[in-house]
Amino acid sequence: MTDSHTQTTQGRTGGRRIGLIVTGAVAGILALGALALGAGALWANGEKDDQGYLTTDSERFAAGTRALATDNLDVNLDGADWLVDSGDFGKVQLAVDSAGDKPVFVGIARTEDVTSYLRGVDHTQVTDVNSSPFEASYRHESGHRRPAAPGQESFWATSTQGRGTQTLDWRVNDGDWSVVVMNADGSRGVAADVSAGAKLPFLDELGWSALGVGGALLIGSLALIVVGMRPPRNRPPHVQVGGTAPAAA
């Protein structure tokens, strides 16, 4: 009876210790993830420009056709329009600098309007972009029609044109969108250096909050592991008293 009880107690104690160690290890992994997230957010916050945009490097996009257009950019806010409409969150900025001597045009519009505008026009679709190392994939769409000068069209949600670096600001909205870069006169041979930026005003708060959560999880995980690895204290054997006392002499 005593041996069975001792083995059961030892088994329960060992199970608790293993459970504490496993829980501590899982909490440690979560802590490292939170700390990495916090450090990354604070680093990104420090990389913002003077206007508060977190921007990519400027990269060259070029084609011998009349226009460069992105594939459909499907924006689905899923009911979070209020978040975009409040404050700076959801603002996007494009900086486009013509690589030639012609004025450059850049615009953002509904994909269906861009498709209609470029139908029958010799143009190039940007189908994919890899950032490291930078590489853009293109698809050629042939045509013989010369488009109207893009700056004369009214379907653009936002657009700008001119010589030198052109900056385009856009607040993200639901729908299917395309970005178009052209020579302002619609001529062939488009080449431009493009960088993109976004306003993420919550990075500072996210960074410090993640560091705080990660620090708390790390302390908790260490405590659980230490308790789980602590050897159990030796207890005196349990003595069961039974039978009758001997008779007095």
Side-chain angles (χ1 to χ4, degrees):
M1 181 71 178
T2 301
D3 291 342
S4 175
H5 177 76
T6 301
Q7 291 175 357
T8 301
T9 302
Q10 291 176 348
R12 291 175 180 175
T13 302
R16 292 194 197 99
R17 293 173 62 194
I18 294 174
L20 290 172
I21 293 173
V22 171
T23 303
V26 172
I29 294 173
L30 295 176
L32 293 177
L35 292 173
L37 173 63
L42 292 178
W43 174 85
N45 189 65
E47 293 296 306
K48 291 180 181 178
D49 62 18
D50 295 337
Q51 295 180 307
Y53 283 93
L54 185 63
T55 61
T56 65
D57 293 332
S58 183
E59 302 291 354
R60 176 68 55 87
F61 293 83
T65 57
R66 295 184 182 276
L68 280 165
T70 64
D71 266 348
N72 174 42
L73 305 176
D74 184 9
V75 179
N76 184 4
L77 298 177
D78 197 21
D81 306 69
W82 62 271
L83 182 60
V84 172
D85 293 337
S86 61
D88 291 333
F89 183 73
K91 287 185 178 180
V92 174
Q93 185 180 84
L94 295 177
V96 181
D97 187 13
S98 176
D101 57 356
K102 295 181 179 180
V104 68
F105 169 90
V106 56
I108 298 177
R110 297 283 182 181
T111 299
E112 58 183 358
D113 292 328
V114 170
T115 300
S116 177
Y117 172 66
L118 294 177
R119 184 172 291 117
V121 174
D122 188 34
H123 67 281
T124 301
Q125 295 284 137
V126 181
T127 58
D128 191 23
V129 175
N130 293 321
S131 59
S132 182
F134 173 80
E135 183 181 4
S137 300
Y138 301 100
R139 183 179 68 247
H140 178 222
E141 301 287 347
S142 60
H144 302 284
R145 184 176 66 84
R146 183 186 180 101
Q152 297 177 359
E153 301 294 332
S154 60
F155 60 79
W156 304 105
T158 181
S159 65
T160 185
Q161 66 179 22
R163 296 184 183 276
T165 302
Q166 301 298 304
T167 302
L168 183 70
D169 294 308
W170 180 57
R171 184 179 288 278
V172 175
N173 285 305
D174 262 326
D176 297 327
W177 301 91
S178 292
V179 181
V180 178
V181 178
M182 301 175 64
N183 294 323
D185 60 359
S187 60
R188 294 180 183 275
V190 182
D193 298 318
V194 181
S195 66
K199 277 200 172 182
L200 302 173
F202 56 82
L203 284 178
D204 187 57
E205 292 81 358
L206 174 64
W208 289 113
S209 298
L211 287 179
V213 172
L217 283 173
L218 184 59
I219 294 172
S221 70
L222 292 175
L224 289 172
I225 292 174
V226 168
V227 172
M229 296 181 67
R230 180 183 299 169
R233 291 178 297 178
N234 294 326
R235 296 183 179 181
H238 179 74
V239 178
Q240 183 176 0
V241 179
T244 58

